[in-house]
Amino acid sequence: MSLLSSLNQALEKTRQIFTTAVNAKNIEELEAILLQADVGVTSTDYILSKIRSSKSESKNYRDVLFDILVNILQKPNYKMHSSKPAILMIIGTPGSGKTTTIAKLANLEQKNNKKVIIAASDTYRAAAAHQLEIWAKRTGTEIVFSQKGQDAGAVAFDTIQKAQSGKFDIVLIDTAGRLHTRKDLMDEAKKIKRVCQKFRSDAPDDIWLILDATVGQNGIEQAKIFHKELNLTGVVITKLDGTAKGGVIIPIALELGLPIRYLGLGETIEDLVEFEPNGFVKELLSS
Ligand SMILES: Nc1nc2c(ncn2[C@@H]2O[C@H](COP(=O)(O)OP(=O)(O)O)[C@@H](O)[C@H]2O)c(=O)[nH]1
Ligand SMILES: [Mg+2]
């Protein structure tokens, strides 16, 4: 299946709500639908004010919504990094899809002939390391595990060292799931960050938050706290398949000003697409 048709399929439930938005009878009805679509109060107000000032003559809201949504989603520009190895840290709440996304990213980068190494820095769950090992074997990815009770920071350290000597292109750091309210785990994430800075002051190049789309509006509050604590550089939205809450992507871009980097569309290693605002909004509003 092509990436575009998997995106089309994954967005089915979210699209059902957005196509009713396109055909709303008036702006009050549109407002109610956007709120139902997990766009949230702040972003819905923003969209409505843009529509009011657009004086669009069209019979439905499709064109005006298209322009506004693309504009919101393409604003947080993403800066590519050229460091070698590039260091990418993955964080998020338990079960959001961090480990799965790491495996998908490793697969994707290796297809682009990049040499990838993974730090299994989730040292809390033995099952997490095992899960990564299975994925890594399948994709032939190098992986560094915790030795004799090493903590998450030490695993990251060993991995980066190995990446430098082995001339790897990308280091992917998996981490333990943390609730944004747990100070100890947030401190651990900061420690991993400091370990990266020992190698290079501007490392890690990226810290991406993995956000489960099915949590909808709650994801915004989570993301705000993670961003405040760790200074994120991007977001990956997972589990878009099968949820009607895909509208949450709009407040993520507008209210956090963070670029959406990838979308998780399923449980297999191929189910990851790079985010592209135009194509996404086209799928979202297509009837
Ligand atoms: N449907 C769907 N399931 C996903 C996606 N990403 C991850 N999952 C599932 O979510 C569960 C938790 O994933 P995992 O990567 O272990 O989460 P972690 O705790 O954040 O590392 C697993 O059952 C994954 O198969 C996705 O994009 N779509
Ligand atoms: Mg995990």
Side-chain angles (χ1 to χ4, degrees), residues 53-64:
S53 60
S54 77
K55 301 192 174 64
S56 160
E57 303 271 309
S58 123
K59 289 190 295 299
N60 66 42
Y61 291 109
R62 190 191 177 279
D63 292 350
V64 65

Side-chain angles (χ1 to χ4, degrees), residues 98-100 122 125 128 131 174-175 177:
K98 293 178 296 300
T99 303
T100 311
D122 180 352
R125 286 173 56 230
Q131 183 191 1
D174 193 18
T175 62

Side-chain angles (χ1 to χ4, degrees), residues 130-145:
H130 182 62
Q131 183 191 1
L132 255 183
E133 193 171 17
I134 294 170
W135 284 115
K137 265 203 188 119
R138 207 179 299 170
T139 54
T141 312
E142 190 92 24
I143 180 162
V144 175
F145 294 101

Side-chain angles (χ1 to χ4, degrees), residues 93-101 104 125 131 174 238-241 264-267 271:
T93 55
S96 55
K98 293 178 296 300
T99 303
T100 311
T101 302
K104 290 171 174 176
R125 286 173 56 230
Q131 183 191 1
D174 193 18
T238 60
K239 310 188 195 181
L240 263 183
D241 50 308
L265 306 177
E267 293 187 277
D271 296 324

